[in-house]
């Protein structure tokens, strides 16, 4: 395969112009790549922002991407002679799982926080709400501070 790749945006334009002559899925150690034929060229589909072939771990995911994202319905060849799943174990992304857990936790916290703010606003707008003046709150917490100081002093 050539080291120069073709990007997804270019492939979409080629498909739209019906200039793509063919597509082949080639097995690689660790996954599957796509070789595209247009004009007199054959180039692998590249990853974003790099001149390296894109690699899918699953053949099904690769085919789905070609059909749904690139609108390529005909695949000329599936070559599994070089395919090996041996390198898949090293492709694990525990950082991605942690990032997703954090994102879900943040979304849940955001939902809870917005709910609490809404409850507070409803309570503040309720005419039956009893408001405590600032001076009264300061006096109550001053007494509480003094009691705590007495408890921790020998």
């Amino acid at each position: 395969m050539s080291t120069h790749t073709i990007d997804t945006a270019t492939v979409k334009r080629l498909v739209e112009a019906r200039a793509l002559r063919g597509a082949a899925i080639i097995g690689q150690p660790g996954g599957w790549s796509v070789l595209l034929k247009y004009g007199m060229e054959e180039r692998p589909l590249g990853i974003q922002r790099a001149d390296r072939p894109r690699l899918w771990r699953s053949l099904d995911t690769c085919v789905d991407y070609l059909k749904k994202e690139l609108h390529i319905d005909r695949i000329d060849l599936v070559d599994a002679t070089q395919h090996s799943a041996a390198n898949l174990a090293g492709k694990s992304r525990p950082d991605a799982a942690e990032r997703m857990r954090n994102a879900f936790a943040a979304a849940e916290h955001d939902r809870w926080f917005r709910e609490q703010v809404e409850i507070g606003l409803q309570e503040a707008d309720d005419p039956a709400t009893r408001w405590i003046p600032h001076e009264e709150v300061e006096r109550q917490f001053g007494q509480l501070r003094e009691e705590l100081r007495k408890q921790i002093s020998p």
Side-chain angles (χ1 to χ4, degrees):
M1 272 199 221
S2 170
T3 57
H4 297 292
T5 61
I6 184 169
D7 65 359
T8 299
T10 304
V11 173
K12 285 181 178 181
R13 287 192 302 270
L14 288 170
V15 169
E16 191 175 293
R18 299 180 186 236
L20 202 60
R21 285 188 348 185
I25 298 176
I26 311 296
Q28 305 287 320
W32 304 90
S33 65
V34 175
L35 184 64
L36 300 163
K37 300 171 190 170
Y38 62 98
M40 299 301 290
E41 298 282 325
E42 283 188 353
R43 291 202 179 165
L45 180 62
I47 63 172
Q48 198 171 13
R49 296 184 208 104
D51 193 25
R52 288 186 323 200
R54 182 168 183 175
L55 198 65
W56 286 266
R57 286 199 240 177
S58 162
L59 179 59
D60 291 336
T61 307
C62 179
V63 171
D64 279 349
Y65 184 82
L66 291 176
K67 289 175 70 176
K68 293 177 182 171
E69 188 69 26
L70 300 179
H71 307 289
I72 297 174
D73 293 324
R74 183 167 176 249
I75 299 166
D76 300 325
L77 170 74
V78 176
D79 181 359
T81 56
Q82 299 296 317
H83 181 260
S84 165
N87 292 350
L88 289 179
K91 293 266 190 180
S92 176
R93 294 286 313 261
D95 59 320
E98 182 65 27
R99 188 172 58 246
M100 291 303 292
R101 275 192 292 277
N102 291 341
F104 283 118
E108 178 62 24
H109 180 269
D110 184 62
R111 186 199 56 75
W112 171 84
F113 182 78
R114 289 175 187 277
E115 186 178 282
Q116 295 301 309
V117 168
E118 185 62 34
I119 290 169
L121 289 173
Q122 288 174 358
E123 190 175 305
D125 289 342
D126 187 0
T129 299
R130 183 176 156 256
W131 294 94
I132 302 173
H134 178 70
E135 294 78 19
E136 175 67 19
V137 173
E138 284 293 321
R139 187 186 61 72
Q140 288 176 358
F141 275 101
Q143 288 175 347
L144 182 60
R145 275 192 300 272
E146 282 304 313
E147 290 174 15
L148 290 173
R149 283 189 185 126
K150 288 178 184 175
Q151 286 178 4
I152 60 173
S153 297

